[in-house]
Amino acid sequence: AQKVTQAQTEISVVEKEDVTLDCVYETRDTTYYLFWYKQPPSGELVFLIRRNSFDEQNEISGRYSWNFQKSTSSFNFTITASQVVDSAVYFCALTQGQGGSYIPTFGRGTSLIVHP
Amino acid sequence: NAGVTQTPKFQVLKTGQSMTLQCAQDMNHEYMSWYRQDPGMGLRLIHYSVGAGITDQGEVPNGYNVSRSTTEDFPLRLLSAAPSQTSVYFCASSPGVPARRGQPQHFGDGTRLSIL
């Protein structure tokens, strides 16, 4: 069985603060994929990033960065200098690789509120 | 770019009524799926399809039917609506099975369904 835990239900910050959203996963597979999605107040779900289990390099995209650590089974997401437009619910998700289930597992989401 | 189109966006039903939520994608994606999103529960997979003529159950299939007669369309049918099916429903697609190729999913804008 696989599991994704986003322990932070809601985070509230003031604009320009840095914020890290935690994602801890469980899987028995050696090949798997991790994702982050953003759901702004308008409701649509937007893909942000994918990582496969063999690529532990951290990634930076503008103010967004992701830290993947297999040793701690974590795939954390950091927003630097947060902005009001970053206010959204963020979901971490896991899918198994070759031979695994077709069913992706989503965390319960972290609601990020950025105050001006 | 239409992407994934869901209709209707909002619907109110009475208990016992049936209805079909429509989902269409114009990206020639093999994989399509239906999720429901409930407060604090994240996204839960209802049914999915890996290609025309092939469907399978997800985590919460009871009370729902699907069919996939074409690559483009993947309707979700509620057979006899119950208040427990009040939720936001998302349709998603991806070029290949997420688990096999690690492809991110493209989501529709959602259908907000209320069962009275």
Side-chain angles (χ1 to χ4, degrees):
Chain A
Q2 55 188 33
K3 185 178 179 182
V4 174
T5 301
Q6 294 181 256
Q8 304 150 309
T9 303
E10 183 176 296
I11 301 175
S12 183
V13 300
V14 177
E15 213 170 15
K16 297 185 183 178
E17 284 186 33
D18 299 347
V19 57
T20 296
L21 283 61
D22 298 332
C23 173
V24 175
Y25 63 91
E26 296 176 28
T27 180
R28 295 181 179 178
D29 285 336
T30 56
T31 302
Y32 51 88
Y33 301 91
L34 294 161
F35 303 83
W36 276 96
Y37 292 87
K38 175 182 180 180
Q39 186 177 39
S42 50
E44 74 275 19
L45 281 144
V46 178
F47 164 71
L48 293 178
I49 191 171
R50 174 194 66 195
R51 261 289 173 267
N52 72 56
S53 53
F54 297 108
D55 183 2
E56 283 194 76
Q57 282 190 348
N58 293 332
E59 181 154 341
I60 298 174
S61 177
R63 296 184 296 105
Y64 294 174
S65 62
W66 290 269
N67 185 324
F68 176 32
Q69 291 195 338
K70 290 177 73 171
S71 60
T72 56
S73 297
S74 64
F75 186 42
N76 297 336
F77 173 28
T78 297
I79 301 174
T80 303
S82 59
Q83 299 177 1
V84 172
V85 293
D86 296 325
S87 296
V89 180
Y90 292 87
F91 291 97
C92 181
L94 166 71
T95 62
Q96 293 177 299
Q98 196 72 23
S101 165
Y102 288 110
I103 299 177
T105 300
F106 281 79
R108 296 191 173 189
T110 296
S111 176
L112 174 64
I113 302 168
V114 181
H115 298 281
Chain B
N1 293 337
V4 179
T5 302
Q6 288 183 237
T7 55
K9 294 193 184 305
F10 303 94
Q11 185 70 48
V12 178
L13 292 177
K14 293 182 179 178
T15 298
Q17 287 185 314
S18 62
M19 81 158 295
T20 299
L21 307 186
Q22 301 292 344
C23 176
Q25 52 92 7
D26 61 357
M27 298 172 282
N28 200 33
H29 285 173
E30 298 172 285
Y31 181 89
M32 295 186 75
S33 55
W34 277 102
Y35 293 87
R36 60 178 289 172
Q37 183 180 20
D38 302 294
M41 296 296 293
L43 290 158
R44 293 182 292 170
L45 185 66
I46 304 171
H47 285 285
Y48 65 93
S49 168
V50 299
I54 306 169
T55 64
D56 207 344
Q57 297 180 348
E59 303 170 80
V60 289
N62 292 342
Y64 308 94
N65 272 357
V66 292
S67 59
R68 184 94 179 271
S69 57
T70 67
T71 299
E72 294 77 20
D73 300 301
F74 190 45
L76 177 72
R77 298 181 187 84
L78 279 69
L79 309 173
S80 177
S84 61
Q85 294 178 305
T86 293
S87 187
V88 180
Y89 291 84
F90 287 96
C91 179
S93 74
S94 66
V97 175
R100 292 291 186 267
R101 302 180 188 178
Q103 295 292 329
Q105 297 185 72
H106 299 253
F107 286 85
D109 289 341
T111 295
R112 189 173 297 273
L113 182 63
S114 294
I115 316 294
L116 304 177

